[in-house]
Amino acid sequence: MSLFGLKIGKKKLREEERQLQANNRDFNLQFEYANNSIKTSKYNFFTFLPLNLFEQFQRIANAYFLFLLILQLIPQISSLAWFTTVVPLVLVLAVSGVKDAIDDFNRHKSDKHVNNRPVQVLINGMLKDEKWMNVQVGDIIKLENNNFVTADLLLLSSSEPHSLTYIETAELDGETNLKVKQALTVTAELGEDLQKLTEFNGEVKCEAPNNKLDKFTGTLTLRGEKYALDNEKMLLRGCIIRNTEWCFGLVIYAGPDTKLMQNSGKTTFKRTSIDRLMNVLVLLIFAFLALMCLILAIGNGIWEYDRGYYFQVYLPWAEGVNSASYSGFLMFWSYVIILNTVVPISLYVSVEIIRLGNSFYIDWDRKMYYPQKDTPAQARTTTLNEELGQIKYIFSDKTGTLTQNIMCFNKCSINGKSYGDVYDMSGQRIEINEKTEKVDFSYNQLADPKFTFYDHSLVEAVKLGDVPTHRFFRLLSLCHTVMPEEKKEGNLVYQAQSPDEGALVTAARNFGFVFRARTPETITIVEMGETKVYKLLAILDFNNVRKRMSVIVRSPEGDLTLYCKGADTILYELLHSSCDSLKEETTEHLNEFAGEGLRTLVVAYKNLDEEYFRDWIRRHHEASTALEGREDKLSELYEEIEKDLMLLGATAIEDKLQDGVPQTIETLARANIKIWVLTGDKQETAMNISYSCNLLHDDMDDVFVIEGSTSDDVLKELRDARKKMKPNSFLDSDEINIQFEKSSKKPKVLPDEQANGVYGLVITGHSLAYALEENLELELVRTACMCKVVICCRVTPLQKAQVVELVKKYKKAVTLAIGDGANDVSMIKTAHIGVGISGQEGMQAVLSSDFSFAQFRYLQRLLLVHGRWSYIRMCKFLKYFFYKNFAFTLVHFWYGFFSGFSAQTVYDEWFITLYNLVYTSLPVLGMSLFDQDVDDRWSLLFPQLYVPGQQNLYFNKMVFVKCMFQGIYSSLILFFIPYGAMYNSVRSDGKAIADYQSFALMVQTCLLIVVSVQICLDTSYWTVVNQFFIWGSLSVYFAITFTMYSDGMYMIFTASFPFVGTARNTLSQPNVWLAIFLSITLCVLPVVGFRFLKTQLRPTPSDKVLLKIKEAKKRPPPPSPRRRLRRTSTRRSGYAFAHQHGFGALIMSGRNMRPKSPFATTGTFSPNSDKHKHKGL
């Protein structure tokens, strides 16, 4: 049934299987598949007002003020004018509504930008430019090089041989190395023939939309034949086409059904822990308010029954009131209106202003501005600032967040000599910096201009024709799976599946061994200006068990050689015994390289016997064509030939960390923040980086590796780790065991457990899948949270979010997730705070984040400076606000006992209206926007100051109770001291001043001065603005008071200003000012005394640090030199092969080869010729 074009009464069934036909929109429309538009916004033009108001009135306080407004419209119980509530309420709703509208407008803008991207769609035999949002399931679209993939596509054909397509998946898994996809042979024949593509009517049946990035199953039925489909034939939304001129794809999943969107997680409304606490406190205050109103209502009933009944001639009961009990009932509601200021609506307005102001400080911070990309820090959400001061767990991506994802050839060891360090004239090693002289490679026409190296002795060795050095670089230029691209002569671009391989081949290229071209049978190298073609006889491919790769080549001279590179632990077992002494020297260099966090790799070679090789290659062919046990047979043959290798040396590659990452991690660790790295990278790569940036270090008692392949294995490994860290945690008497044995549906919070040392935990994605199951999740979170560092490798975007959710579920701690790619979006949305880094991998993470900046190192400033200041300011604001309003409101309570519980207000009605809006609003805002206990430099030097925020020490239920009691005490002083001073007192001229109006003026003057002195005590950092606000507010009070109580105002507005002459009559008396001074002293003295004694007798860790800073300020320390953190380690950072297993076989088959480069064998140059000789060397 349709109503105004809207489908109603029809619920969409859950999709079990997807069925679609290519080029048949009518057939596909019957299934009502989602189109390719995405929507992240919450409102539209018509739904904004009702939905936003509904959301705002879910906040208890707003609903309460609406209820109060209704009460004030009832004449029988209203003792205050309606505008005292309606004006602030409308203001609060308007401010919040405008902010929500701006946020949603930005989401609409972002959606519009993505949905309106252009793409070529095949419609009626022609390619037409369409918007992304109009693409539908079953459409065939054309993508070109460097295009984003529009939807999840089945690859049909491409410009490359055998319809291969190269893609970059950084948006999905954070990896920037290229991956290869290949179309089915039957669809590859379609090419770019639009007629054939239009006639293509294949039918696809596949699984329903899901979030599994690495899995796809389906079938293609074409001309009665069925063809199996898997993930290797799919191009997923978010990928980028690389090195492929064009490709055609069939849309399988669109828009919200794509795997990228299925992994992006839901956008949830984030609220701070202080917000949640305030909701609880507001409920407690309501209960307290109801109790006070009940006491006063009972008091009114008793008074009216006992006294008022007999004074009806003098004080007649209101119309309709015919009994004392009914009078008491009405007074209950009257007092609800009068005493509502214990929770003033201005509290919420002030909170929003404070948060907005502190957000601007983040936006304006020049120390978080990254000039290279012109990127300032940005607070994209303005409601979470104080939560930044309470972070306990940080979940970080690796690639692009901790690292720049740039590999640099840094050092090497050749034939027992180490290269890469720079020495001065006296032989002392000097630190490399921007001023250090670089090696000039201008003599080499084919050198990569971006490559930098500083050790000139290595170039000299190459130029002098040192045989081991030449052999070393020859190996690097031959033993790899890199693909070259040379569109212009001499302009070489290497496409490497692993960035490590690209760095090594580029190094060889710059030192005179240029990898120029390859075919399935040959590799062309330009060696020192001379072009040589090597025959490629075999590639012994890499896999995770072998941890090495080899190539067998025949040189132009006819020499048969095996070149091998791999992890040192593996290759050392395969070396010839004659290499023992060289092995010792190389090991020393490897240890030195590893100590600097470099990724190391050992290289070796072996000259092969012709006859033996002919026999081996025959057996290799038989094994590679075997139907059973192929992998095992090939592995045995590889082991056989890779023996008795001759050691050449080792390479050291730097996986460039972002600037300041080790220092930032060290500082955050000192602030008691635990860091978990969640990455899609391999275990070895993740561990290498963790050692490089000082997350893991050799001083740790142990680093546990969880890699079980079954649920039982994972459980055993987790329990073994926990047993080592805390043996007592398995006893029945353990507090947590007792707590979780009690049957309760409520999710339990795990208290912090202390391990008996410093530990790290590494867990693989496969094992994590088991550990996240319901029966193991508690074991995982107990074991992991005892560790200082946790590293999760090979995790999917959804697993990242599940890990964050798990910690949120079991730990009473605030979490922060930081990343830079689309694969981090779900984790960023799940954590309490999401931080996006605007980096190499697009803007998806930034668009989903609460805060964003350009470099990981800015995180310490965001948390330790802005976060800490925001938290302290908000806590001070709340403590002061609750105190001043309890002191203000409870005076009414005491007055009730002296006014026959008649709901008469103590203060003038104008004072009640202006107290929170004018007289006390600016001083507290000044403190909440400018206050800081220490400046940013000390905040970073003493990260321990951050700990009280994690423990929620500055504002909690106990602190609130203290504020309440302080307010009750102050209200007693403020009522009874003026009452005693006024009682039966006379002026100096003998006239009485003990009237209600003089008393009211004296109480409100005492109150305002007391709360002003209190804010002076709470302010740590004085500015001109603070001074102006405090003195200005007091001046405004006296100016308004004398004006309103003047004869002129009374003459103009007789009914509105009845306190005529009160100000000049009362405030001119010395005894009044003496009473005011006494009230101030009695209110403030206990606070000063308590704070002094607490600091002296029971100082908190924060007090001790502040004392240290105070002493240090007296004698400022000299500026500490910037030190480069270096780790000393005996653990070597193994080489991280990142290319796919089987890529070597693909190269040998020639299926990924383009036509031979026209520049591959033409033109020679010699770096040693006079024309190209570098004069400075």
Side-chain angles (χ1 to χ4, degrees):
M1 178 181 173
S2 178
L3 183 68
F4 304 111
L6 297 173
K7 290 178 182 175
I8 58 171
K10 190 174 180 182
K11 189 178 178 182
K12 191 176 177 182
L13 296 172
R14 188 167 178 269
E15 195 175 338
E16 299 292 338
E17 182 186 64
R18 176 151 293 203
Q19 183 180 357
L20 60 104
Q21 274 185 10
N23 293 313
N24 191 343
R25 282 193 171 183
D26 293 335
F27 175 81
N28 298 327
L29 281 170
Q30 66 178 315
F31 300 106
E32 297 183 6
Y33 297 138
N35 65 15
N36 204 41
S37 68
I38 59 164
K39 178 176 176 287
T40 59
S41 55
K42 288 162 66 177
Y43 316 107
N44 61 35
F45 183 79
F46 298 104
T47 62
F48 173 75
L49 199 60
L51 275 181
N52 189 258
L53 285 174
F54 175 73
E55 283 178 5
Q56 291 208 56
F57 281 117
Q58 285 184 323
R59 186 182 262 175
I60 294 169
N62 286 348
Y64 166 67
F65 290 119
L66 183 66
F67 172 66
L68 271 184
L69 178 60
I70 294 165
L71 285 182
Q72 283 179 289
L73 296 174
I74 302 170
Q76 286 85 350
I77 59 174
S78 179
S79 49
L80 287 172
W82 60 271
F83 59 79
T84 57
T85 300
V86 78
V87 172
L89 179 61
V90 169
L91 186 67
V92 168
L93 296 176
V95 168
S96 298
V98 167
K99 189 173 69 62
D100 290 341
I102 291 168
D103 288 346
D104 206 58
F105 176 73
N106 289 333
R107 283 192 284 267
H108 271 287
K109 226 162 107 179
S110 168
D111 291 347
K112 191 177 177 183
H113 172 71
V114 172
N115 289 332
N116 287 329
R117 282 178 180 166
V119 66
Q120 296 179 73
V121 183
L122 185 63
I123 300 174
N124 300 326
M126 294 173 63
L127 283 173
K128 293 184 180 176
D129 283 336
E130 272 285 5
K131 294 175 180 176
W132 274 30
M133 63 182 177
N134 297 328
V135 171
Q136 295 183 16
V137 170
D139 286 352
I140 292 177
I141 63 176
K142 181 183 181 181
L143 297 172
E144 293 175 346
N145 197 27
N146 298 325
N147 281 173
F148 276 99
V149 177
T150 310
D152 288 357
L153 310 175
L154 170 66
L155 179 62
L156 297 177
S157 62
S158 84
S159 58
E160 303 306 290
H162 302 275
S163 279
L164 293 174
T165 299
Y166 298 92
I167 58 167
E168 186 181 285
T169 59
E171 288 276 350
L172 293 174
D173 56 18
E175 294 183 6
T176 52
N177 48 291
L178 298 184
K179 294 181 174 62
V180 183
K181 301 289 183 176
Q182 185 174 13
L184 287 166
T185 310
V186 68
T187 62
E189 294 164 359
L190 300 171
E192 56 179 336
D193 187 326
L194 296 185
Q195 184 62 36
K196 285 183 181 177
L197 285 162
T198 305
E199 291 169 0
F200 176 70
N201 63 350
E203 188 170 320
V204 174
K205 285 187 178 179
C206 62
E207 61 194 11
N210 59 67
N211 53 37
K212 294 172 182 171
L213 291 172
D214 55 351
K215 183 175 169 287
F216 175 80
T217 53
T219 57
L220 169 68
T221 306
L222 185 63
R223 296 190 286 273
E225 292 287 323
K226 268 192 178 182
Y227 302 90
L229 302 177
D230 57 26
N231 204 45
E232 295 307 306
K233 296 168 183 63
M234 292 292 291
L235 304 178
L236 301 184
R237 179 177 178 137
C239 297
I240 302 173
I241 306 294
R242 297 289 192 210
N243 306 326
T244 308
E245 285 183 32
W246 53 261
C247 66
F248 284 88
L250 170 67
V251 178
I252 305 294
Y253 305 119
D257 291 342
T258 58
K259 291 184 185 284
L260 175 69
M261 296 305 292
Q262 291 275 312
N263 269 290
S264 65
K266 291 182 179 177
T267 303
T268 55
F269 177 61
K270 294 183 179 182
R271 300 174 67 190
T272 67
S273 54
I274 281 183
D275 266 339
R276 292 189 291 272
L277 177 61
M278 274 169 58
N279 267 354
V280 174
L281 295 182
V282 165
L283 288 172
L284 289 175
I285 292 169
F286 289 163
F288 182 61
L289 174 67
L291 179 64
M292 287 195 297
C293 294
L294 185 64
I295 291 168
L296 293 168
I298 292 169
N300 177 264
I302 295 169
W303 192 88
E304 291 290 356
Y305 179 79
D306 190 42
R307 299 277 183 89
Y309 180 79
Y310 303 104
F311 279 85
Q312 287 193 56
V313 176
Y314 177 63
L315 282 173
W317 283 352
E319 190 180 337
V321 177
N322 50 22
S323 69
S325 57
Y326 185 57
S327 172
F329 171 76
L330 291 179
M331 283 304 150
F332 176 85
W333 298 109
S334 296
Y335 273 114
V336 166
I337 294 169
I338 288 174
L339 301 178
N340 80 80
T341 46
V342 282
V343 189
I345 197 161
S346 58
L347 170 70
Y348 290 94
V349 181
S350 303
V351 164
E352 294 296 330
I353 292 169
I354 292 163
R355 286 173 172 164
L356 188 65
N358 285 311
S359 298
F360 282 132
Y361 290 147
I362 294 169
D363 295 346
W364 297 337
D365 192 342
R366 290 186 180 183
K367 292 179 181 175
M368 292 170 69
Y369 169 72
Y370 191 55
Q372 291 179 26
K373 290 189 178 176
D374 188 27
T375 308
Q378 190 180 5
R380 297 174 56 80
T381 304
T382 58
T383 55
L384 302 172
N385 304 49
E386 69 270 13
E387 198 97 306
L388 289 170
Q390 298 180 276
I391 304 297
K392 188 67 185 288
Y393 290 89
I394 290 176
F395 300 91
S396 174
D397 177 40
K398 181 193 76 70
T399 308
T401 303
L402 298 177
T403 67
Q404 298 178 36
N405 205 32
I406 298 170
M407 302 294 176
C408 294
F409 182 83
N410 195 292
K411 294 181 181 180
C412 62
S413 170
I414 304 174
N415 199 30
K417 186 177 179 187
S418 176
Y419 296 96
D421 287 319
V422 181
Y423 298 88
D424 60 17
M425 299 297 286
S426 61
Q428 294 294 315
R429 189 163 70 175
I430 58 174
E431 191 79 24
I432 293 171
N433 55 39
E434 296 82 12
K435 295 178 182 177
T436 309
E437 187 189 356
K438 297 174 185 174
V439 171
D440 187 351
F441 292 105
S442 58
Y443 67 87
N444 182 346
Q445 286 184 337
L446 293 174
D448 183 345
K450 289 179 282 195
F451 180 84
T452 56
F453 201 74
Y454 298 93
D455 187 355
H456 293 71
S457 63
L458 185 54
V459 183
E460 291 294 340
V462 172
K463 287 186 172 184
L464 293 170
D466 182 60
V467 175
T469 306
H470 277 218
R471 190 174 281 140
F472 177 86
F473 284 115
R474 188 177 296 119
L475 183 149
L476 295 186
S477 64
L478 290 167
C479 185
H480 54 77
T481 58
V482 173
M483 300 295 296
E485 192 174 0
E486 190 175 5
K487 290 185 177 175
K488 292 181 183 175
E489 185 172 1
N491 184 14
L492 273 168
V493 178
Y494 291 142
Q495 302 300 341
Q497 280 214 313
S498 156
D500 300 66
E501 287 213 308
L504 293 174
V505 177
T506 302
R509 166 185 174 180
N510 275 60
F511 283 103
F513 289 75
V514 185
F515 167 55
R516 194 80 184 262
R518 76 154 75 237
T519 69
E521 299 86 24
T522 64
I523 296 176
T524 303
I525 307 293
V526 180
E527 289 187 10
M528 304 305 290
E530 185 183 346
T531 301
K532 290 188 176 182
V533 179
Y534 287 81
K535 286 188 178 176
L536 179 61
L537 304 173
I539 295 180
L540 283 57
D541 209 357
F542 160 85
N543 66 34
N544 281 323
V545 178
R546 283 167 45 75
K547 293 189 179 177
R548 65 187 183 275
M549 76 162 288
S550 301
V551 293
I552 300 173
V553 294
R554 190 187 300 278
S555 70
E557 295 78 25
D559 297 327
L560 201 58
T561 313
L562 178 144
Y563 293 110
C564 181
K565 66 181 181 186
D568 54 287
T569 50
I570 302 294
L571 247 65
Y572 272 6
E573 302 296 318
L574 308 174
L575 295 179
H576 192 271
S577 56
S578 62
C579 299
D580 287 349
S581 60
L582 179 56
K583 186 162 76 170
E584 286 179 18
E585 291 173 347
T586 307
T587 302
E588 283 182 26
H589 296 152
L590 282 169
N591 288 336
E592 189 182 322
F593 299 157
E596 296 174 31
L598 303 176
R599 293 152 68 96
T600 56
L601 162 82
V602 169
V603 294
Y605 75 102
K606 178 183 180 181
N607 292 318
L608 298 174
D609 177 70
E610 193 74 43
E611 194 174 327
Y612 166 75
F613 177 71
R614 272 201 298 272
D615 175 57
W616 183 90
I617 200 73
R618 178 186 56 79
R619 289 184 288 136
H620 177 268
H621 178 72
E622 289 172 4
S624 61
T625 53
L627 294 175
E628 290 182 8
R630 182 185 300 174
E631 292 294 326
D632 293 337
K633 288 175 181 175
L634 284 173
S635 184
E636 283 176 25
L637 281 169
Y638 292 169
E639 292 282 344
E640 179 191 314
I641 201 167
E642 290 172 329
K643 279 182 182 173
D644 297 330
L645 302 177
M646 303 302 293
L647 180 61
L648 267 175
T651 63
I653 291 175
E654 182 183 6
D655 187 355
K656 273 192 171 294
L657 294 172
Q658 285 197 10
D659 293 341
V661 166
Q663 292 87 341
T664 300
I665 285 170
E666 185 193 41
T667 304
L668 294 173
R670 285 168 56 208
N672 200 32
I673 296 172
K674 293 187 176 181
I675 299 176
W676 293 27
V677 177
L678 312 178
T679 177
D681 266 358
K682 295 188 174 188
Q683 177 183 324
E684 190 159 54
T685 314
M687 288 182 74
N688 289 342
I689 293 302
S690 301
Y691 274 100
S692 298
C693 59
N694 283 359
L695 272 169
L696 297 176
H697 49 83
D698 287 340
D699 296 337
M700 284 183 158
D701 294 82
D702 202 350
V703 176
F704 306 110
V705 179
I706 311 296
E707 48 190 355
S709 52
T710 66
S711 185
D712 291 338
D713 290 347
V714 172
L715 179 62
K716 183 179 182 303
E717 288 175 353
L718 286 170
R719 285 190 167 166
D720 287 347
R722 179 155 67 91
K723 195 168 188 178
K724 184 169 182 181
M725 290 189 287
K726 191 182 177 187
N728 295 342
S729 63
F730 286 91
L731 299 175
D732 292 336
S733 57
D734 181 70
E735 178 193 340
I736 296 173
N737 293 337
I738 294 168
Q739 181 186 339
F740 277 82
E741 277 170 14
K742 293 176 184 172
S743 56
S744 171
K745 300 282 183 186
K746 189 182 173 187
K748 301 177 179 72
V749 174
L750 273 174
D752 286 340
E753 295 181 89
Q754 293 300 319
N756 56 17
V758 180
Y759 296 92
L761 181 82
V762 179
I763 183 167
T764 61
H766 185 72
S767 302
L768 185 63
Y770 292 113
L772 289 170
E773 290 172 359
E774 197 173 346
N775 58 328
L776 286 189
E777 63 177 21
L778 180 62
E779 190 62 50
L780 171 66
V781 80
R782 279 192 77 176
T783 305
C785 288
M786 270 195 262
C787 297
K788 188 73 177 169
V789 174
V790 177
I791 295 154
C792 303
C793 327
R794 281 291 183 214
V795 291
T796 65
L798 193 67
Q799 280 180 323
K800 290 184 177 187
Q802 287 172 333
V803 170
V804 176
E805 191 60 56
L806 186 67
V807 174
K808 283 174 67 179
K809 178 180 175 182
Y810 284 108
K811 303 296 283 186
K812 193 179 179 181
V814 182
T815 59
L816 178 145
I818 180 168
D820 72 325
N823 58 318
D824 305 313
V825 167
S826 54
M827 139 176 115
I828 283 170
K829 286 181 176 178
T830 305
H832 293 103
I833 301 281
V835 177
I837 290 185
S838 44
Q840 307 289 329
E841 301 176 17
M843 294 293 287
Q844 290 277 354
V846 170
L847 293 173
S848 304
S849 66
D850 305 306
F851 300 89
S852 68
F853 42 69
Q855 293 279 289
F856 181 84
R857 68 176 184 270
Y858 298 147
L859 183 61
Q860 62 179 329
R861 189 166 177 83
L862 182 72
L863 301 187
L864 303 185
V865 178
H866 293 287
R868 191 174 156 276
W869 282 349
S870 296
Y871 172 68
I872 290 173
R873 287 166 182 165
M874 185 59 73
C875 292
K876 280 190 173 185
F877 164 78
L878 291 172
K879 284 192 288 186
Y880 174 75
F881 213 95
F882 282 122
Y883 160 72
K884 78 181 178 71
N885 283 293
F886 271 112
F888 169 74
T889 308
L890 287 170
V891 174
H892 287 298
F893 181 75
W894 309 124
Y895 183 62
F897 289 89
F898 293 84
S899 62
F901 306 98
S902 59
Q904 184 184 4
T905 57
V906 178
Y907 315 110
D908 171 22
E909 203 170 72
W910 284 102
F911 180 80
I912 294 171
T913 306
L914 299 174
Y915 177 71
N916 279 309
L917 286 178
V918 178
Y919 299 149
T920 60
S921 58
L922 289 179
V924 73
L925 280 178
M927 179 185 72
S928 307
L929 290 173
F930 302 108
D931 201 50
Q932 46 185 266
D933 53 350
V934 292
D935 64 21
D936 55 346
R937 186 168 64 98
W938 295 108
S939 294
L940 294 170
L941 278 174
F942 291 93
Q944 306 91 313
L945 288 168
Y946 190 80
V947 175
Q950 295 171 333
Q951 298 169 347
N952 213 12
L953 294 182
Y954 291 149
F955 190 76
N956 50 46
K957 289 173 187 170
M958 185 55 67
V959 171
F960 170 74
V961 169
K962 287 178 184 175
C963 292
M964 193 169 82
F965 279 116
Q966 187 190 351
I968 292 169
Y969 167 76
S970 293
S971 68
L972 282 166
I973 298 294
L974 291 168
F975 178 78
F976 285 103
I977 295 293
Y979 180 79
M982 282 282 179
Y983 191 70
N984 287 334
S985 63
V986 292
R987 284 171 26 170
S988 53
D989 58 3
K991 291 181 181 177
I993 57 166
D995 60 90
Y996 158 70
Q997 291 182 344
S998 299
F999 172 70
L1001 178 66
M1002 189 175 174
V1003 171
Q1004 63 197 38
T1005 305
C1006 282
L1007 170 70
L1008 201 60
I1009 296 173
V1010 164
V1011 296
S1012 297
V1013 172
Q1014 182 65 44
I1015 204 163
C1016 293
L1017 291 175
D1018 289 346
T1019 302
S1020 304
Y1021 183 71
W1022 285 93
T1023 65
V1024 174
V1025 178
N1026 292 77
Q1027 297 273 8
F1028 176 75
F1029 282 171
I1030 291 169
W1031 295 111
S1033 294
L1034 286 171
S1035 304
V1036 166
Y1037 164 70
F1038 284 112
I1040 289 175
T1041 301
F1042 277 98
T1043 303
M1044 286 198 306
Y1045 297 171
S1046 65
D1047 298 349
M1049 290 298 286
Y1050 176 73
M1051 298 289 287
I1052 301 167
F1053 305 105
T1054 307
S1056 300
F1057 300 102
F1059 280 45
V1060 59
T1062 307
R1064 63 175 182 267
N1065 289 336
T1066 307
L1067 296 179
S1068 61
Q1069 302 303 309
N1071 60 330
V1072 169
W1073 284 105
L1074 189 64
I1076 291 172
F1077 177 74
L1078 182 62
S1079 301
I1080 296 165
T1081 306
L1082 288 173
C1083 285
V1084 170
L1085 203 59
V1087 178
V1088 175
F1090 175 77
R1091 290 183 183 180
F1092 175 76
L1093 291 172
K1094 184 174 175 290
T1095 309
Q1096 296 299 315
L1097 302 177
R1098 290 185 63 187
T1100 61
S1102 185
D1103 290 332
K1104 292 172 185 174
V1105 173
L1106 288 169
L1107 186 64
K1108 276 186 193 174
I1109 292 171
K1110 204 172 182 180
E1111 290 168 358
K1113 278 181 179 176
K1114 293 173 186 173
R1115 46 179 200 287
S1120 54
R1122 287 186 67 187
R1123 57 196 175 89
R1124 184 181 176 190
L1125 283 176
R1126 299 168 79 93
R1127 75 179 174 90
T1128 54
S1129 170
T1130 54
R1131 176 195 179 278
R1132 284 199 286 286
S1133 163
Y1135 177 71
F1137 286 91
H1139 65 251
Q1140 293 162 297
H1141 173 53
F1143 197 63
L1146 185 65
I1147 288 171
M1148 293 292 288
S1149 69
R1151 285 181 296 157
N1152 64 336
M1153 299 297 174
R1154 292 186 178 151
K1156 191 181 282 188
S1157 165
F1159 313 114
T1161 54
T1162 60
T1164 62
F1165 76 97
S1166 172
N1168 294 317
S1169 69
D1170 292 335
K1171 184 181 174 184
H1172 298 299
K1173 235 173 208 174
H1174 180 52
K1175 291 172 184 153
L1177 291 172

